[in-house]
Amino acid sequence: MKNFSFTFVLFLVLTSFGSCKEDVLPKPNAFLALNYNTPEYTLYGSETCPYEFMKNTSAVVRYKSDCSVILEYPDMDGALYLTYRNVDGNIKQLLTDAQKLTYEHVIKADNIAEEKYINPEHNVYGMFYDVAGNAASQSQFYVTDSTSYFITGSIYFNVTPNYDSILPAAAYLKTDIRHLMESLRWKK
């Protein structure tokens, strides 16, 4: 019995010394750290299409036969889709369709903020939509000269929408959209 008492006391003493560590604390909340290069822009346009714009050099451009464009961002697994339409007395319908496309995301969106874009010097007018939440597209826009040309654009990522996860990439591409809108010129 003496051996058992001695062993038990020794066990308690050793256990108390071994448990004198700092308290375990949970890790603090963190954000995904994605860093993207500072964008560099170059003029881009097709000889057969009636517009040109400054594009991010990290974007890969694919033209379609109707002057619509896909700007692919391989590092982000996303793309900016630009759709070109001629205005032929149908400006009201084109505007309605562009707004309808944006507001189809209202089911999943937490908020849709609108920003008008007006550049009378270059005859470019439009609207930028910032979509917050788990919507399929985080940003959309349209630009037009109101008489001949109309372009809509949308960002899409090749992943299930999770606003927190794609936020850094979406913010980066929003900057590209704004730059594209500000640099867009109609060819005469």
Side-chain angles (χ1 to χ4, degrees):
M1 188 75 163
K2 258 185 173 181
N3 274 345
F4 177 74
S5 298
F6 177 74
T7 306
F8 183 70
V9 170
L10 182 62
F11 174 74
L12 287 176
V13 170
L14 290 175
T15 304
S16 67
F17 283 121
S19 65
C20 292
K21 295 181 182 177
E22 291 183 29
D23 292 335
V24 176
L25 300 174
K27 291 182 178 180
N29 290 334
F31 294 98
L32 186 60
L34 298 174
N35 296 316
Y36 300 108
N37 294 332
T38 302
E40 295 179 24
Y41 297 97
T42 184
L43 186 63
Y44 197 85
S46 167
E47 290 180 18
T48 59
C49 297
Y51 63 89
E52 60 187 13
F53 56 88
M54 300 294 286
K55 76 156 196 80
N56 190 325
T57 55
S58 67
V60 178
V61 178
R62 287 193 300 136
Y63 265 98
K64 295 182 175 181
S65 59
D66 63 352
C67 289
S68 295
V69 178
I70 300 172
L71 297 174
E72 295 177 341
Y73 293 82
D75 294 343
M76 295 177 204
D77 203 17
L80 173 56
Y81 293 83
L82 302 175
T83 304
Y84 172 77
R85 299 281 183 255
N86 286 319
V87 176
D88 189 23
N90 59 345
I91 188 69
K92 242 181 167 175
Q93 185 62 47
L94 291 170
L95 290 168
T96 301
D97 290 347
Q99 292 167 353
K100 182 180 173 185
L101 178 65
T102 298
Y103 282 97
E104 284 178 355
H105 296 283
V106 79
I107 294 168
K108 293 282 188 175
D110 295 334
N111 184 39
I112 299 177
E114 300 177 351
E115 287 179 39
K116 290 181 183 177
Y117 179 72
I118 301 171
N119 184 340
E121 180 182 348
H122 295 287
N123 202 23
V124 181
Y125 306 93
M127 184 76 73
F128 175 81
Y129 298 97
D130 188 3
V131 182
N134 291 330
S137 178
Q138 299 300 309
S139 297
Q140 297 190 3
F141 74 96
Y142 67 83
V143 289
T144 183
D145 71 343
S146 300
T147 58
S148 301
Y149 316 115
F150 195 90
I151 297 174
T152 59
S154 303
I155 294 174
Y156 287 97
F157 293 95
N158 298 321
V159 295
T160 302
N162 182 340
Y163 186 63
D164 293 340
S165 297
I166 63 173
L167 186 60
Y172 183 88
L173 293 184
K174 286 176 192 178
T175 302
D176 273 9
I177 286 177
R178 285 190 173 101
H179 194 82
L180 186 150
M181 290 175 75
E182 292 169 0
S183 66
L184 189 126
R185 302 294 180 261
W186 309 115
K187 295 179 185 176
K188 304 288 182 194

